[in-house]
Amino acid sequence: MTRQSQGRERRGSFWKDNSLTLAFGAAFLLTFLGQALAGHAEFNEQLAVDDLQSLSLGEYMMSSDFAVDVTENWQSEFLQFFLYIFGTVWLVQRGSPESKKLHEKGPESDRDQRMGDHAREDSPRWAGTKDWRQLVYSRSLGMLMGLLFVLSWLAQSISGVAAHNEQQLRQLQDPISWGSYLVSPEFWSRTLQNWQSELLAVAAMVVLSVYLRQRGSPESKPVGAPHSATGLEG
């Protein structure tokens, strides 16, 4: 095999081996741009009603109005995964591939998790340690999702109070503090409407996957698996 054909094979392998991440990453960028374009048009319509100068797309994307719309969605997504990752350690759903097997709830043994003395040659290095590194690494996914949730929630609250105060000033009203915004109906209305939609989606996926199938998907049981089968992936 020539070096050129090997290079083509490596490039093809990269796109194939990472197609799930790349597809969703591209979809994210497209929807992010679409949100920016639609939000920019809507925001300038509001400015025109108030007889104010319109903003360029770049100016709008740097504004607090755009930031709060983006971060309020991000924080709810990270909250969903944070709760789901930690919740599925102890909570189970009979018949769902989204659940562990009923007898496996809990953190499981070191042998089952390939930790400490049970780590293998190809295990991550920190999995074979017996100190704080193993403690951190064994919970690193949930911890990172929790941190991303807190950071995006903080960004939402900061950009939200800035956007709120800009609106207050346009209406010749006094701005409010960050603390006052955190207990305001506007903040919690924006926050809770995102939380409830994410939690509903997770609950629906867990329950519907008990009875419905999607051939070839790891999020579904095999098509012929009984409804009572738990923790199976197709």
Side-chain angles (χ1 to χ4, degrees):
M1 183 180 295
T2 65
R3 183 176 300 178
Q4 184 177 4
S5 62
Q6 289 176 341
R8 285 197 299 268
E9 182 179 350
R10 283 196 295 271
R11 287 194 295 271
S13 177
F14 171 80
W15 291 100
K16 178 180 178 180
D17 293 348
N18 299 279
S19 58
L20 185 60
T21 299
L22 293 170
F24 275 88
F28 162 74
L29 293 176
L30 289 174
T31 54
F32 183 80
L33 178 59
Q35 178 188 356
L37 293 172
H40 175 241
E42 180 186 16
F43 188 71
N44 277 340
E45 288 179 359
Q46 296 174 353
L47 292 179
V49 171
D50 295 333
D51 199 24
L52 296 173
Q53 184 177 354
S54 62
L55 298 181
S56 66
L57 179 61
E59 290 172 331
Y60 171 71
M61 294 183 69
M62 295 298 294
S63 70
S64 57
D65 290 84
F66 180 66
V68 69
D69 288 340
V70 169
T71 54
E72 74 177 24
N73 288 300
W74 289 6
Q75 57 93 6
S76 63
E77 296 291 344
F78 289 126
L79 175 66
Q80 172 196 154
F81 284 111
F82 168 71
L83 293 177
Y84 192 68
I85 289 167
F86 276 105
T88 50
V89 174
W90 295 101
L91 305 177
V92 294
Q93 173 60 55
R94 180 184 295 273
S96 176
E98 299 295 316
S99 166
K100 294 195 297 184
K101 292 180 173 61
L102 303 181
H103 65 278
E104 293 179 350
K105 62 182 178 181
E108 302 178 12
S109 66
D110 287 357
R111 179 186 296 274
D112 292 334
Q113 288 292 310
R114 304 175 188 176
M115 294 167 55
D117 294 334
H118 303 284
R120 302 179 181 178
E121 291 185 1
D122 58 352
S123 297
R125 184 164 56 90
W126 281 23
T129 62
K130 298 181 180 180
D131 51 22
W132 64 270
R133 291 172 295 175
Q134 185 197 80
L135 179 66
V136 171
Y137 186 71
S138 64
R139 295 165 176 80
S140 56
L141 180 60
M143 290 168 61
L144 179 59
M145 288 297 175
L147 177 62
L148 291 173
F149 161 68
V150 171
L151 292 177
S152 55
W153 180 87
L154 182 62
Q156 178 204 348
S157 66
I158 294 173
S159 57
V161 70
H164 177 83
N165 285 336
E166 286 180 6
Q167 186 65 30
Q168 290 286 98
L169 293 174
R170 291 194 199 111
Q171 299 174 357
L172 303 179
Q173 297 178 0
D174 293 333
I176 64 174
S177 66
W178 179 66
S180 298
Y181 180 72
L182 286 182
V183 297
S184 68
E186 176 183 336
F187 174 74
W188 285 106
S189 175
R190 298 178 73 106
T191 299
L192 292 173
Q193 68 177 334
N194 285 283
W195 289 5
Q196 56 87 14
S197 63
E198 300 300 335
L199 296 175
L200 175 63
V202 170
M205 182 64 183
V206 170
V207 173
L208 294 177
S209 62
V210 175
Y211 303 102
L212 305 180
R213 309 287 189 269
Q214 180 59 54
R215 182 174 181 173
S217 174
E219 300 302 314
S220 166
K221 292 184 290 189
V223 176
H227 294 326
S228 59
T230 306
L232 295 180
E233 295 180 348

